[in-house]
Amino acid sequence: MDEFLLYVAVGFAAQIIDGAIGMAYGISGTTVLLGFGVPPATASACIHAAEIFTTGVSGFSHWRMGNVKVEFLWRLVFPGMVGGVVGAYALANLEGDVVRPYVSIYLLLMGLVILWRAWRRPAPKAHPPRYLPVLGVSGGVLDAIGGGGWGTMVTSSLVGHGTAPRFAVGTANLAEFFVTTVITGTFVLTIGLDLWPIIAGLLLGGVVAAPLAAFAASRLPDRPMMILVGSVVILLSMRTLLQAFT
């Protein structure tokens, strides 16, 4: 019961952060599971199984709060699903640590760009970035291999491009539901799914937190959200780089 409550708390805290600034649920949860000795592929499978429900509630909440841009959504969803399948198969058969440092360097640069844009306070752009399909594929691959990373890649890139943070967070959260569902299905077919008490704890905490986080995202001003997003991206990317080179 103590461990179950711990996973509930982890799921709640991770979803509050993820739903409010669009990232870190998968990375936070995966880090905890790896700390308990769960293999990387199994940890990623557990996180994504829980995320089917948490991202579903979070995405629906963001849509109801008006935080979703539909014209961005579908250009992310279908490429993201393809990338998720590729990443899940790769993690089931290959070592994913090789690519992580390069992705972290990209994310570190994006975090710096976001902070720079927050300082300059540019006008948000109304049109979607031209590279959305490529971003979707890359985010899906990273999410499956790293046990999380869709929000870190997609949200940071959208905000760095100039998209208003609330729309970047909301759209990325709803798109993640579809990507996560496909990734989980791929893991079920390749390595199976186990550790249901862990999944249930993460799921319960995340579902409770999701509407609260979506409400916070709809109310926070753009500049503080950009500073939060940029800071979290930089810290997570630096953490991964330090782990890779030590």
Side-chain angles (χ1 to χ4, degrees), residues 108-126:
L108 178 61
L109 293 174
M110 286 306 305
L112 293 172
V113 168
I114 291 169
L115 290 182
W116 178 68
R117 285 186 178 273
W119 181 260
R120 293 183 64 237
R121 302 181 69 175
K125 300 180 181 180

Side-chain angles (χ1 to χ4, degrees), residues 139-180:
V141 171
L142 174 65
D143 195 70
I145 289 177
W150 169 266
T152 311
M153 172 72 78
V154 175
T155 304
S156 63
S157 297
L158 289 177
V159 175
H161 175 78
T163 304
R166 61 177 289 208
F167 293 122
V169 171
T171 305
N173 264 260
L174 183 54
E176 189 175 12
F177 165 73
F178 299 96
V179 176
T180 295

Side-chain angles (χ1 to χ4, degrees), residues 69 71-72 75-76 125-135 154 157-163:
K69 277 191 173 292
E71 62 268 32
F72 288 33
R75 293 177 62 189
L76 285 169
K125 300 180 181 180
H127 60 280
R130 284 184 246 174
Y131 58 87
L132 276 180
V134 175
L135 181 61
V154 175
S157 297
L158 289 177
V159 175
H161 175 78
T163 304

